[in-house]
Amino acid sequence: MGAVATLEKLLPVLLAFGCGAVLAKRKVVPAEASKAFADYAFLFAVPCYLFGNIYASDLGALFNWRALSGYAATAALAVLAVGLAARARGVREPRGVALRIMAGVQVNTAYFAVPVFITVFGTAAPIFPVLLFQVCVLSLVVIAIMELGRADDLADDLADGAAHGTGARLVRAVGASLTTPLVLACNAGILLNLLSLHVPKVVLDGFSFVGDSASPVALFALGLHLGGLGLDIRGTTREEIALIAFKCLAFPLLAWAVCGGLFGVHGDWLKYLVLIAAMPTPQNLFIFAQRYDIGVDLSAALVIKSSVAALLLLPLWIQWAA
């Protein structure tokens, strides 16, 4: 029953994505409009969602530092493995490597894990520490690399004739990553939460209203893009298969081994971390790819195909957790 209830929870995800794909396929909405929807989600809706939820959370009760340290160590090993594999396959551009690392290591927390956890455990609270880790550490690194590799930054360096162009680009990249709405919203939520500063309810309601649109808009943008592009399962590349297998099988098994074997995490928290690691590649991968114009087609395929794979494997992981 748990698996059936979980699938029912995920029906809105299929609806939002499916409508986008159908409308683009029938040319009711142009597929090119996916960029505008993705920008809305990246720059506005997702930050609103993060701020409101982090501000309202009990941070002290959420953080199990042994469990979070184990998950961070697992992620570090996974980053190294995916990065080396990408380089071995001939991917030399840092943005391309970063995109593949994000696909293999980051998980769909807000839009996939939440309904699963509510169904299986009755609460989604254990997800938020991992969500914070992803936004404040993993996403920060990815954004910095993406900003560093942007072609317009390189053009500015050449135009300025700077002697230390690489250093200047790095400083701008770090600054841009720290001031992106995604990171600012996360840090603001943590700071105001820790300081116990009062935010008026009407303001929080506004953030909640906008934040609730993040998931359907991101999924709709993905559907639009794939509706215009088309998704061929038979044409799935070896690289896609490898990344999906790593994300949906190897990464949760690595989390089980590292967190349980090396960090002594047991009981409910071990179940939480393994199930979180088994979640698919996040929609943010597609949003990042759209925003920085790198690997858009690959990211779109990975998001959808990893979601299908995770959905098929979900009953097995739920049975293990039970």
Side-chain angles (χ1 to χ4, degrees):
M1 290 299 294
V4 173
T6 299
L7 293 176
E8 291 177 350
K9 293 279 187 179
L10 295 175
L11 283 178
V13 173
L14 300 177
L15 178 63
F17 164 75
C19 285
V22 170
L23 291 176
K25 191 77 172 177
R26 293 179 175 273
K27 303 188 184 302
V28 176
V29 178
E32 295 78 14
S34 63
K35 180 66 164 61
F37 285 103
D39 279 347
Y40 166 82
F42 180 85
L43 297 173
F44 188 39
V46 173
C48 286
Y49 173 88
L50 289 174
F51 175 82
N53 281 274
I54 293 171
Y55 173 79
S57 298
D58 182 356
L59 298 182
L62 285 181
F63 283 88
N64 181 316
W65 292 107
R66 181 187 295 271
L68 191 57
S69 298
Y71 190 87
T74 302
L77 291 174
V79 165
L80 182 62
V82 176
L84 290 175
R87 298 286 290 184
R89 288 188 59 86
V91 181
R92 293 292 180 262
E93 186 182 10
R95 292 187 303 165
V97 175
L99 195 76
R100 286 159 176 80
I101 287 174
M102 187 176 181
V105 180
Q106 291 208 30
V107 301
N108 191 329
T109 52
Y111 310 145
F112 203 106
V114 168
V116 170
F117 268 64
I118 291 175
T119 299
V120 178
F121 301 111
T123 177
I127 296 171
F128 284 100
V130 174
L131 177 61
L132 293 176
F133 171 70
Q134 285 200 159
V135 172
C136 297
V137 179
L138 294 179
S139 290
L140 186 65
V141 172
V142 170
I143 292 171
I145 295 174
M146 293 294 188
E147 289 287 346
L148 184 61
R150 289 180 71 169
D152 55 347
D153 280 349
L154 179 59
D156 289 342
D157 290 338
L158 293 175
D160 294 339
H164 305 288
T166 301
R169 286 167 58 206
L170 180 60
V171 171
R172 288 199 299 272
V174 173
S177 64
L178 290 174
T179 56
T180 191
L182 201 69
V183 177
L184 285 176
C186 180
N187 291 334
I190 294 173
L191 181 62
L192 295 182
N193 187 310
L194 292 175
L195 295 177
S196 299
L197 294 180
H198 175 69
V199 176
K201 184 177 182 300
V202 64
V203 175
L204 292 177
D205 288 344
F207 279 115
S208 177
F209 176 77
V210 175
D212 287 343
S213 70
S215 176
V217 169
L219 286 164
F220 185 74
L222 181 60
L224 283 177
H225 179 80
L226 289 182
L229 174 69
L231 184 63
D232 183 12
I233 298 297
R234 295 180 182 178
T236 301
T237 65
R238 290 184 179 181
E239 182 180 30
E240 291 174 9
I241 293 174
L243 284 170
I244 292 169
F246 183 88
K247 178 69 215 64
C248 297
L249 286 174
F251 189 45
L253 290 175
L254 183 64
W256 173 77
V258 173
C259 295
L262 297 181
F263 284 81
V265 180
H266 301 292
D268 288 341
W269 267 105
L270 183 60
K271 298 176 183 178
Y272 298 154
L273 296 178
V274 172
L275 270 181
I276 289 172
M279 296 297 105
T281 298
Q283 285 99 330
N284 282 351
L285 177 74
F286 174 72
I287 295 173
F288 275 48
Q290 281 271 40
R291 176 143 184 88
Y292 296 106
D293 194 24
I294 179 74
V296 177
D297 295 344
L298 174 65
S299 66
L302 288 173
V303 170
I304 290 300
K305 293 174 183 178
S306 69
S307 296
V308 173
L311 203 59
L312 294 174
L313 292 170
L314 192 56
L316 298 178
W317 290 116
I318 290 176
Q319 185 178 5
W320 173 84

